Amino acid sequence: MRREFSAGGVLVRRLRGRWMMAAIRPGGKPAGLWALPKGQIGEGESGETTALREVAEETGASGRSLGKLGDIRYWFNWDGERIFKVVSFFLVRYETGRLGDLPEEHRHEVDAVRWLPLDEAPRLLAYRGERQMAEKAIAVLSEQDV
């Protein structure tokens, strides 16, 4: 059985006193489907490095890691092959960049990027595991003064 490992980030910033989160609509997905930036861990990369790279490539903004939030594990079938996938997510504090300013070579991967209220993420994100990561981000930010 094949195994795949990916990493992603919950990119957050405060706007007008409210925590916001960067969400993407992956290329080819319907309007209203919001997800977190993520991608496969590159050779020689750590999960954290991959998360920071994927956030920058898929949102146009970058930040610093505040630590790992957790892992999502699931199975899927691809061309008749069963694949076990682990996606590690990191909390990333926004530092620079503008949402939507994507590198040319990654524009085909993302149709839209938006700041969404973090406290609404458990309702707005399309995938259950990613909603759980947003809930963990809310918990971490409420416990720490970041």
Side-chain angles (χ1 to χ4, degrees), residues 56-60 98-104 106-107 110 113:
E57 289 175 356
E58 295 186 357
T59 70
R98 197 170 124 219
L99 290 191
D101 283 350
L102 307 183
E104 184 64 39
H106 297 286
R107 288 190 182 152
V110 178
V113 185

Side-chain angles (χ1 to χ4, degrees), residues 67-83:
K68 188 172 179 179
L69 290 169
D71 295 327
I72 299 170
R73 293 174 172 82
Y74 59 95
W75 304 88
F76 67 96
N77 288 306
W78 184 264
D79 287 336
E81 182 180 13
R82 192 167 171 104
I83 299 167

Side-chain angles (χ1 to χ4, degrees), residues 10 16 18 26 31 33 42 44 52 66-67 74 93 101 134 139 142:
V10 180
R16 295 184 275 300
R18 189 172 189 189
L33 186 147
L52 294 172
L66 299 179
Y74 59 95
R93 178 72 189 260
D101 283 350
S142 68

Side-chain angles (χ1 to χ4, degrees), residues 24-46:
I24 65 167
R25 181 164 45 91
K29 298 294 184 179
L33 186 147
W34 294 108
L36 296 173
K38 61 189 166 299
Q40 288 199 333
I41 296 175
E43 190 173 329
E45 274 187 326
S46 69

